Amino acid sequence: MYAASREASSRAREALRAALTGSDTVAATTGSELFAVVAVLDDQRSLRVALADKSVSSSVRAELAERVFGGKISGTTQAVLTTAVAQDWSRTRDLVDTLVLLGREALLRAADERGRLTAVEDELFRLGRIIDDNPDLEQALQDHGKPAAAKRALVQGLLAGKVEDITLQLVEQAVVRHKGDSGQAIDELSDLAASLREQIVAHVRAAVALTPQQREHLAASLQRIYDKPITVHVQEDPTLLAGVVVRVGDDLIDGSAIGRLQRLRQSLT
């Protein structure tokens, strides 16, 4: 995002935090309704352009949002939406992407109020690994020719009754709307859940399963490096031969046997 949209997004997120009252019901409703607003905007280009049009006063944009959505969403959701559309956005897409983020945050805060945020984060991580390990599933989820209803049915068939309802909502919305790597989209949700717990995520690939003690030692080491609490998500990957590969954000720490062999080969060329 450009600077204007970053500032607008920050103000919209502040409005969301202020609007949520600590009730999981309010947070869950707000998240679901924001996703519904995004679905409308995705389908109606002229509306989303009008709501982000900087050449029109913020009050006019807010009035338009009220005319279109008033009475169809809760007062809390309407207040958050009004704040969002009243901001100056560098691009129309930034407004819609921020509404998606607000919807996700609201649902995750509902999970937190229920004491289920850690469970949701873990389910999202596990699902991301399942998608990564199943090319046929990944292809089905990101098939651009598949109707949204068919993707929803696929997600429902995979997850309904097996995961938290908030996990299901987050995954369904991400899969239906996301145009790229579905596994990556799910990982972004998992990372967002960790950030709401004021933690950062270390994605670890290990040649063999790590013991609880090894996980604790790795988390402690990474916490010293990054000076923040760390959530460690581990995926077994026998192709590494030995050792681990750790990704934290854009940082990559390759301590695997295959990584050492590759570096040795490069040094000899």
Side-chain angles (χ1 to χ4, degrees):
M1 289 185 181
Y2 294 108
S5 284
R6 285 198 300 272
E7 178 64 23
S9 182
S10 177
R11 289 178 179 174
R13 294 179 78 180
E14 289 173 2
L16 176 71
R17 296 186 190 108
L20 299 184
T21 61
S23 164
D24 66 293
T25 302
V26 171
T29 299
T30 301
S32 297
E33 289 179 344
L34 285 169
F35 280 174
V37 169
V38 168
V40 172
L41 297 183
D42 282 341
D43 288 340
Q44 299 187 26
R45 181 180 183 279
S46 59
L47 176 59
R48 66 177 182 264
V49 169
L51 289 175
D53 187 355
K54 291 189 295 184
S55 67
V56 176
S57 70
S58 60
S59 61
V60 170
R61 282 178 270 146
E63 289 171 4
L64 175 59
E66 176 64 35
R67 287 201 307 273
V68 174
F69 296 105
K72 301 173 184 175
I73 56 179
S74 68
T76 299
T77 306
Q78 187 71 55
V80 173
L81 176 61
T82 297
T83 299
V85 301
Q87 307 306 311
D88 288 338
W89 299 90
S90 305
R91 299 177 300 181
T92 301
R93 187 179 74 186
D94 294 340
L95 166 61
V96 181
D97 287 347
T98 293
L99 292 176
V100 171
L101 175 60
L102 297 182
R104 291 174 172 180
E105 285 197 5
L107 286 172
L108 289 170
R109 291 187 184 281
D112 193 23
E113 292 295 332
R114 298 173 185 173
R116 303 301 296 166
L117 183 56
T118 300
V120 169
E121 180 188 340
D122 185 61
E123 288 173 348
L124 290 167
F125 172 75
R126 291 171 184 267
L127 180 60
R129 304 291 66 72
I130 290 171
I131 294 172
D132 286 344
D133 293 339
N134 192 328
D136 291 339
L137 174 59
E138 183 170 6
Q139 184 176 359
L141 290 173
Q142 62 190 47
D143 183 355
H144 295 174
K146 189 184 292 291
K151 290 186 178 182
R152 289 193 185 94
L154 177 57
V155 172
Q156 288 278 344
L158 287 170
L159 302 180
K162 302 173 185 176
V163 298
E164 301 282 334
D165 62 331
I166 285 175
T167 302
L168 180 58
Q169 286 188 69
L170 289 166
V171 171
E172 184 179 311
Q173 198 272 344
V175 167
V176 168
R177 191 170 188 274
H178 197 72
K179 305 301 183 185
D181 186 330
S182 297
Q184 180 181 343
I186 304 304
D187 283 346
E188 290 173 359
L189 290 170
S190 179
D191 289 355
L192 179 59
S195 72
L196 293 181
R197 295 195 296 116
E198 298 184 346
Q199 299 202 352
I200 58 177
V201 177
H203 293 278
V204 179
R205 288 188 296 134
V208 297
L210 300 183
T211 66
Q213 293 78 13
Q214 288 172 323
R215 284 174 179 255
E216 291 176 7
H217 179 72
L218 178 59
S221 298
L222 291 170
Q223 184 166 333
R224 287 194 295 272
I225 294 172
Y226 290 95
D227 196 27
K228 285 186 177 181
I230 297 279
T231 294
V232 175
H233 288 316
V234 181
Q235 177 184 11
E236 289 185 45
D237 185 354
T239 65
L240 298 178
L241 303 181
V244 298
V245 175
V246 181
R247 178 174 62 81
V248 180
D250 294 330
D251 296 343
L252 187 68
I253 305 169
D254 190 346
S256 66
I258 193 68
R260 291 194 293 272
L261 287 172
Q262 289 173 345
R263 289 192 292 275
L264 176 60
R265 187 180 297 114
Q266 290 170 356
S267 70
L268 295 174
T269 59

